Every structure is written in structure tokens, then in C-alpha cells.
Amino acid sequence: MTAIHHNTPDLFALSEIHGPVLRPGDDGYADEVTGFNLAALHTPDVAVGATGADDVVTALRWASATGTPVAVQSTGHGANFPIDHGLLISTARMTDVRVDPDRRLATVAAGAKWRHVLEATAPHGLAALCGTSTDAGAVGYTLGGGLPVMGRAYGYATDLVRSFQVATPDGTLHESDPDHEPELFWALRGGKGNVGVVTSMVCELLPLPTVLGGGVYCPGEHTEALLRTWADWTGTLPDDMCSAFTLLRLPPIPEIPEPLRGGFWARVAIAWPGDPAEGERLLAPIRAAAPVAVDTVEVMPYAALDRIHMEPQDPLPARESCALLRDLTPEAIDTFLSQVGPEVPDCPLLMVEFRHLGGALSRPARREDAICSRDANYLLETVGVLAAPPAAEAIEQATRALHTAMSPYGTGHTMVNIHGTPGNESDRARAWTPEVYTRLRQDKSTYDPQNLLRFGHTISPSGV
């Protein structure tokens, strides 16, 4: 039982919580509220370190009774908006993963990272549809749809979800699946955390012990040749070949291995679940497109997926943004190169990436969901590290300039997980079609009429 300061009677109801209940100035408060993205420094009035579904329910009942707005954080990879008041529920202690190998199912608690999931599934030769970093939280990623490394082959992470246990803001715990509260189940798959706090999910697993994966790195001056080859190549591929083209302007820091440290690189990263020899044959045009400086493509355990995109493992302050593109035409490539190519040596963006979509990512969902990116063929993502105020301003300008220039080639929509800092209602709505956005607002009115869940990429109830 956590001790509550007796001079704060408004927190008395939280004395039933098993995890820590902290206010600014308390020991452990800073660690409790700090997530992976250090650009979003949270200062909530109260932080609850939930240890299970009961703690989440108790915290939500208190918030509902007091009208206190609520935010949820597991790892903080998706943090894009600083929380400066209200209640923050941290699910970082809820990391249990239970695997049923015979039924190929995993029950994943709210705070589990994909790394925890893969550690539990790999001994059975099974895999879950995780993203480019296994340090990210599995549940939060899936609520936004979840764009997997293996997405073209198997679809979105949310396509494999069987059920959710979710606490709505009134403190009611629900079991939601296609047959029980199907509207809630719909809203949770692609609608992010707008209607409740998920305490666990059950997802299907794939029999995929190994993949062919890694990156082909060329010096940045060969960006155009590699990019144009990759764009043409993506039009010829079987659905199972998953790839991305990335420009990396890497800082000279020890965390980055030589010879990549401090360099400007063009990379094609691939993941292929089929016969390795066939994957190598398919990759040949990429290796022939430009001089290759580093080639990390190899057969690897699925649990080693982090080797493919080599994303940062330590917390940092980042500004990210994305756009969905219908196609990558020669004109689109010209525009892209004029903004961030080798002729722009002072580009402040750490990473600019095209992800190839299509394949299973374009197929209709087995069960209707709120994902609105199935009509896109590519995703454009940008990431900048906000090291100092001048750098932050330059990153913001470069991000806006690139996305504005590329907008004629886009669908007009984004993916909610990597949308970046949410702006006004019109900006937030870009993560969904108008029809889906309207339906989500109606569901918000049903499950969160007080609009308690209003931090981050949230929407307002209908009529607000």
C-alpha cells in the first residue's frame, strides 16, 4: 500500500493503489514521468505507477470523480506533447507477457515493450508484428494501428489483435472483442487511446523464427542513384519483401558504430520472411545501384529485428512527423532531393525515410478498424533531434518545408503513431478520413463524455 500525504485529502481515494502515487517534488517523481522522447517533459499534478488493472481502474475512478484530465504512458516513445497538469498513469511496471504456443496467442500487459514480447515468443519459434524499435511499448503502438517491419507481408499489428481488456474513463473494466462491445473494439484498433486505457491485449503470433534482414548503406553523395533505383524496384516486388529508403545524417557520437559514425548515408533496409537465397536475388539491383560501403543484410533471429533499422536505444529529444503518399513519381523524387538531398548539406534532420507500403498493408482488414492508410503506397517520415534552441528552430523549419513541398504527392493523411506534435483539431483529424474521425468522436462521446483523455493526439467528443 502506498502512503499518501495526509495534507492532500483530495488524493485519499488513491491510497488503495498498490504502486507509487507521486506529486511534484516527491522522490521518484521525475523518473516516473520521464519517457523516451525527452522533448515532451511531463509535469502532471499526480503520477500513478500502476502495477495492474486494479490500479488503473482506481486511478480513473478518482479522475472521473474529481474531473481530472488523464494521460497514459508506458515507454514514452510516442510522447509528443508535454503534460503540464492532471493525472499521468504510468503502465511501465505492467510488463507481463503470457504465451499460448499451441493456439499461437500472446496476452500482453499494458506496459510491455515489444522486446518483452519477443523474449517470450522466440523460444517457441513465434513472432509478433512489432515496429522498427523493440524498445517501444506494444500496446500503445498497436492502438495507433502499428506499422510493422514485416507489414507488407503480414499487415498492421492491429490486424492480429483478438481482444482488449480496457478501462474506460469512468473506471469500468471492459473485455472487448468482435463479439463483445464491437464498437469499442473498432475504436481501439487505429483510434489510439481516445476511448479508454488498455490494460492488456491478446494478439495472434506468427510462426517466423528467422528473417533475412539488414541494411545496404551507400555514401550520401549517391542518394539520387540509390533512391531512383529503389523507387523503381519497389514496383516490381512480391508482397513479402518489406523495405525502406533512409537518409541518415549521423552525429559523431560513440553510440553509433564505425564506419557509420559522423557520416551522411543513404540506406535501403529490407526484411524478407521467405527463402534467403530468393531474398538475396531480389536484393541484387539495390546492391548494384551505387557503391556499397556497409552491408548488414543477413539471416537473423526474428527477435533480433532491431539490427535492421538500428534505431536509437537511449532517450533523446526528438521531433517527428509523417505523411502518407500515393506514389513516388520522378517528380516527387526531384522535390524530395531539392529539400533534403546531398545538395542541402546543412539539412538538420537526423533521419528522413520512405517506407514502402502496399501488399498486406493495403488489403481490407479482416475486421473493420479505424486505420486510414490502406490507400497509400509509401510513408514519408522525418526525425530531428532537438539538441538546442537554434537546432530546434532549424529542424521545425526543415520539417515543415519538406512536408509542404511533398504534399501534392500525398493522400492528405498521416499515421497517428508518428504524426508528431498534434496541432489544432484540423491537424489532428488528418490521421483519419472524415468518416472515421466523425465515428471516433461519437465513440468518444459514449465512452469519455467528460473528455478526460485529452492529452497527446486526442480528439474531442461530438458536440464539443
Side-chain angles (χ1 to χ4, degrees):
M1 189 73 69
T2 300
I4 304 297
H5 299 296
H6 293 294
N7 61 348
T8 55
D10 57 312
L11 295 186
F12 179 76
L14 295 181
S15 62
E16 299 178 8
I17 286 178
H18 298 87
V21 178
L22 304 168
R23 303 192 75 172
D26 288 348
D27 290 342
Y29 172 87
D31 290 340
E32 196 69 44
V33 303
T34 300
F36 186 88
N37 188 355
L38 300 179
L41 297 177
H42 303 318
T43 55
D45 298 321
V46 184
V48 167
T51 61
D54 289 348
D55 283 355
V56 173
V57 166
T58 299
L60 287 173
R61 286 177 178 168
W62 174 81
S64 180
T66 59
T68 303
V70 179
V72 186
Q73 178 167 279
S74 58
T75 66
H77 277 264
N80 49 41
F81 191 88
I83 298 158
D84 59 2
H85 63 290
L87 166 67
L88 174 64
I89 300 174
S90 170
T91 62
R93 292 169 180 79
M94 300 168 60
T95 60
D96 183 56
V97 178
R98 291 180 283 114
V99 177
D100 182 338
D102 294 331
R103 299 171 64 202
R104 297 213 300 245
L105 296 175
T107 302
V108 182
K113 299 180 179 182
W114 279 120
R115 185 170 300 137
H116 299 136
V117 178
L118 297 187
E119 288 170 354
T121 60
H124 305 286
L126 298 174
L129 284 181
C130 60
T132 54
S133 172
T134 65
D135 191 61
V139 167
Y141 161 93
T142 303
L143 292 176
L147 176 60
V149 173
M150 307 299 303
R152 275 179 52 84
Y154 301 108
Y156 291 95
T158 200
D159 291 337
L160 298 189
V161 174
R162 289 279 192 89
S163 65
F164 292 103
Q165 184 185 72
V166 54
T168 45
D170 62 355
T172 302
L173 197 62
H174 305 254
E175 300 290 341
S176 177
D177 61 33
D179 300 317
H180 304 89
E181 303 204 55
E183 186 64 20
L184 184 58
F185 188 64
W186 174 85
L188 290 169
R189 292 177 305 117
K192 206 55 178 172
N194 274 291
V195 292
V197 180
V198 170
T199 55
S200 68
M201 67 179 181
V202 177
C203 60
E204 300 174 29
L205 303 173
L206 302 168
L208 191 61
T210 63
V211 298
L212 178 73
V216 175
Y217 294 76
C218 300
E221 59 263 31
H222 300 288
T223 292
E224 181 171 359
L226 187 63
L227 175 54
R228 292 193 188 278
T229 297
W230 178 78
D232 291 339
W233 181 72
T234 58
T236 69
L237 296 173
D239 288 352
D240 283 359
M241 178 58 82
C242 311
S243 70
F245 173 89
T246 315
L247 288 185
L248 295 164
R249 290 174 164 91
L250 299 176
I253 58 176
E255 289 80 3
I256 297 172
E258 293 285 8
L260 299 176
R261 184 184 304 161
F264 172 39
W265 303 97
R267 178 189 71 191
V268 171
I270 68 108
W272 166 256
D275 175 58
E278 176 65 8
E280 294 280 2
R281 186 191 69 77
L282 288 169
L283 189 57
I286 296 299
R287 287 178 166 142
V292 177
V294 177
D295 190 333
T296 66
V297 176
E298 62 179 346
V299 176
M300 64 178 66
Y302 185 92
L305 225 57
D306 281 335
R307 296 182 200 167
I308 296 177
H309 285 260
M310 296 180 62
E311 293 205 355
Q313 298 299 304
D314 297 318
L316 47 75
R319 163 73 162 101
E320 65 179 352
S321 188
C322 79
L324 293 164
L325 307 180
R326 296 195 185 280
D327 207 351
L328 197 51
T329 63
E331 295 77 16
I333 292 174
D334 289 342
T335 301
F336 176 83
L337 293 172
S338 72
Q339 294 290 320
V340 296
E343 302 305 316
V344 190
D346 58 347
C347 176
L349 300 176
L350 172 72
M351 184 196 85
V352 185
E353 181 167 278
F354 290 116
R355 293 276 297 274
H356 186 204
L357 305 181
L361 296 168
S362 65
R363 298 172 195 155
R366 287 183 294 172
R367 303 178 185 93
E368 187 186 19
D369 59 32
I371 294 175
C372 297
S373 51
R374 298 182 191 272
D375 61 339
N377 288 310
Y378 298 89
L379 170 79
L380 170 63
E381 180 182 6
T382 59
V383 177
V385 177
L386 308 175
E393 182 178 348
I395 287 167
E396 186 64 31
Q397 291 176 352
T399 299
R400 291 184 179 276
L402 175 61
H403 285 285
T404 298
M406 295 297 290
S407 62
Y409 314 104
T411 68
H413 298 298
T414 67
M415 283 188 178
V416 62
N417 277 350
I418 44 181
H419 176 97
T421 306
N424 59 19
E425 181 179 347
S426 176
D427 178 65
R428 296 169 192 234
R430 292 190 300 124
W432 301 282
T433 63
E435 296 78 14
V436 168
Y437 184 68
T438 297
R439 183 172 169 182
L440 284 171
R441 292 192 67 195
Q442 292 168 346
D443 289 342
K444 181 81 166 178
S445 297
T446 299
Y447 295 106
D448 185 18
Q450 289 182 272
N451 196 26
L452 295 183
L453 296 168
R454 60 176 183 261
F455 292 108
H457 199 129
T458 54
I459 60 176
S460 300
S462 295
V464 174

